[in-house]
Amino acid sequence: MSIDKKELVRRVSQRVCKETGIVEEVIDATLEEIYESLKQGDSVSLRNFGTFYIRVERESWVFKFNPSQRLRKLFGWSSTYKR
């Protein structure tokens, strides 16, 4: 199962008790900032989630994601997360 953007906006809206329009603007702005940072070659680290980065290889750029220890523990991957 997967959720689309509309469902993500709905869930976040309920969690923070804000209108869906406001939440959608924040999510759109967040994704745009992540996109622009990666486009400029910068990495983006989100605490307790992970780090997005681009690795330049010979003839292309490779998109990478390094999950946080908390996310690793959730899936049973090697982790030092203690909660």
Side-chain angles (χ1 to χ4, degrees):
M1 181 182 158
S2 65
I3 64 169
D4 60 10
K5 181 181 162 191
K6 184 177 179 179
E7 178 63 13
L8 178 63
V9 168
R10 187 190 69 74
R11 289 181 186 190
V12 172
S13 177
Q14 286 181 330
R15 182 176 291 251
V16 298
C17 300
K18 301 289 181 190
E19 294 179 21
T20 57
I22 293 169
V23 171
E24 185 172 13
E25 283 183 41
V26 171
I27 289 174
D28 285 343
T30 301
L31 294 174
E32 190 62 31
E33 288 301 320
I34 292 171
Y35 172 79
E36 288 299 323
S37 295
L38 292 171
K39 194 165 93 172
Q40 293 174 15
D42 297 330
S43 64
V44 178
S45 294
L46 303 174
R47 188 167 189 234
N48 291 324
F49 188 73
T51 302
F52 300 92
Y53 62 99
I54 301 293
R55 188 176 74 213
V56 180
E57 295 195 349
R58 287 185 177 164
E59 297 182 18
S60 64
W61 289 24
V62 178
F63 175 81
K64 302 294 262 179
F65 174 71
N66 185 25
S68 68
Q69 292 298 313
R70 181 178 178 186
L71 192 55
R72 288 174 185 269
K73 183 174 181 175
L74 178 68
F75 289 99
W77 302 330
S78 177
S79 172
T80 58
Y81 186 72
K82 300 291 185 211
R83 213 167 201 200

